[in-house]
Amino acid sequence: MTFTNKAAAEMRERACAIEPGCSRATLRTFHSFGAWFLRRNAEAAGLGRDFTIYDDDDSTTLLKAAFPAMNRQEASRLASAIARAKDYGLEPDSPGLEAAFKGQRDFRRCYAEYQRRLRATGNVDFGDLITMPARILTHDPAIRERFHQRVRVILVDEYQDSNVSQFELLKAMAGGGAYVCVVGDDDQSIYRFRGAEVRNILSFPDTFPGTETIRLERNYRSYQSILDVAGAVVSKNEGRLGKTLKAVRKGGAKPTLAVLADQNEETSYCIRVIDRHLKRGASFSDLAI
């Protein structure tokens, strides 16, 4: 399991290069797995196999039809809030819903009406691709047993980007005693605004007793001088597993700290730095932002 179609394709390519039998493995994003699972268990989900997956624009249109007094921008903000609620595994009747979305007026009623209309169309949104399979695996013994017999090993890539609902799905998938391996970096968990939850990594050993933690501390990309600065900064973070990165590439110039007023000044600064390097004979391929 991973988070982008590009990463899933690359995982498949690498796995099959090591062992051709991996072509029979399921290598998918969380959402494509959810769609695959729901189409194979459509009746249990109360869906037809030909259901459509609503994107953000479709959800906004549905809300605009449900609440004509809203303008499209308001409907779009409400659609985003509903998507975040699903990321956190919150239903319209969840006790903590209103406390989590204080800024959304009458959120519980709007969310419930959205769900009612979405179900009436026979379709799902992206959040449903995670929450509905987890619910089916939790509450349908026959499907759960069949799934657990089939799935014995689960690998999750970029685990620091997983949200609460994806964590619940992983637990439901692994409930039959599957071997679970997750790969991620708690220091790179930067998508909280999209629902990512770093506690999924930090609490993993509590959820899966007997966990072995392997720190991947060898860095092939940066010089040690850069890693030392980055490590000193991130060491101030609270709630992290901690690690000490060691560079394969020794030495390197010390990083420069540039204090700039805004993004326009930052752009000008980058242009000046690039020009200096090009005048010294460097090429654009030597540079990255």
Side-chain angles (χ1 to χ4, degrees):
M1 306 279 272
T2 188
F3 287 86
T4 67
N5 291 322
K6 182 179 180 182
E10 189 169 339
M11 285 172 70
R12 178 177 296 280
E13 183 181 321
R14 292 185 182 191
C16 290
I18 297 168
E19 169 50 62
C22 288
S23 62
R24 299 190 299 275
T26 299
L27 289 153
R28 296 178 178 272
T29 66
F30 271 97
H31 289 97
S32 68
F33 167 80
W36 171 87
F37 183 92
L38 289 177
R39 293 197 194 281
R40 279 154 183 76
N41 299 283
E43 187 175 347
L47 300 168
R49 288 195 172 192
D50 59 346
F51 63 80
T52 296
I53 301 168
Y54 275 31
D55 61 16
D56 294 343
D57 195 54
D58 295 324
S59 296
T60 299
T61 300
L62 185 67
L63 285 166
K64 186 75 178 68
F67 305 104
M70 285 186 186
N71 60 42
R72 192 160 184 87
Q73 189 176 28
E74 290 169 333
S76 177
R77 283 199 296 268
L78 179 57
S80 295
I82 291 172
R84 290 293 78 76
K86 293 189 178 187
D87 286 344
Y88 284 102
L90 296 171
E91 302 285 341
D93 58 353
S94 295
L97 182 69
E98 284 166 331
F101 292 88
K102 293 176 183 175
Q104 289 289 334
R105 185 181 172 192
D106 207 11
F107 185 56
R108 190 182 296 276
R109 181 181 69 84
C110 294
Y111 184 5
E113 179 61 16
Y114 169 81
Q115 284 292 87
R116 188 188 70 77
R117 289 186 176 235
L118 182 60
R119 291 293 163 265
T121 69
N123 298 316
V124 300
D125 60 20
F126 282 109
D128 291 330
L129 297 179
I130 308 300
T131 59
M132 292 177 76
R135 200 175 304 125
I136 291 169
L137 285 170
T138 301
H139 297 294
D140 191 311
I143 293 175
R144 180 171 64 246
E145 184 177 355
R146 187 168 69 244
F147 183 84
H148 286 165
Q149 286 175 349
R150 173 175 181 170
V151 177
R152 307 304 308 154
V153 177
I154 303 171
L155 167 67
V156 184
D157 187 36
E158 300 289 2
Y159 189 62
Q160 76 277 354
D161 294 337
S162 63
N163 60 41
V164 173
S165 288
Q166 288 160 342
F167 184 49
E168 292 302 318
L169 175 57
L170 176 62
K171 287 195 293 184
M173 291 170 64
Y179 177 89
V180 181
C181 174
V182 299
V183 183
D185 184 355
D186 50 313
D187 291 332
Q188 292 188 53
S189 184
I190 60 173
Y191 291 115
R192 186 171 178 82
F193 68 95
R194 279 196 334 214
E197 181 50 75
V198 71
R199 283 178 296 182
N200 289 355
I201 281 187
L202 302 180
S203 66
F204 188 87
D206 300 325
T207 306
F208 297 94
T211 292
E212 179 184 4
T213 301
I214 301 170
R215 286 174 170 77
L216 305 179
E217 297 183 313
R218 191 179 303 171
N219 182 288
Y220 298 91
R221 180 180 294 168
S222 300
Y223 288 113
Q224 190 65 48
S225 55
I226 293 173
L227 298 182
D228 289 343
V229 172
V233 171
V234 81
S235 69
K236 307 296 183 184
N237 283 3
E238 295 179 1
R240 61 189 293 261
L241 297 174
K243 59 186 170 296
T244 302
L245 296 179
K246 302 177 184 68
V248 170
R249 302 171 71 189
K250 303 298 180 185
K254 282 188 175 182
T256 299
L257 177 64
V259 181
L260 306 163
D262 56 30
Q263 69 272 20
N264 297 324
E265 193 175 320
E266 185 177 7
T267 303
S268 299
Y269 172 81
C270 290
I271 291 170
R272 291 197 301 274
V273 171
I274 290 169
D275 281 343
R276 273 204 308 272
H277 281 279
L278 294 177
K279 286 171 182 174
R280 292 173 189 159
S283 65
F284 282 112
S285 62
D286 300 322
L287 302 161
I289 297 179

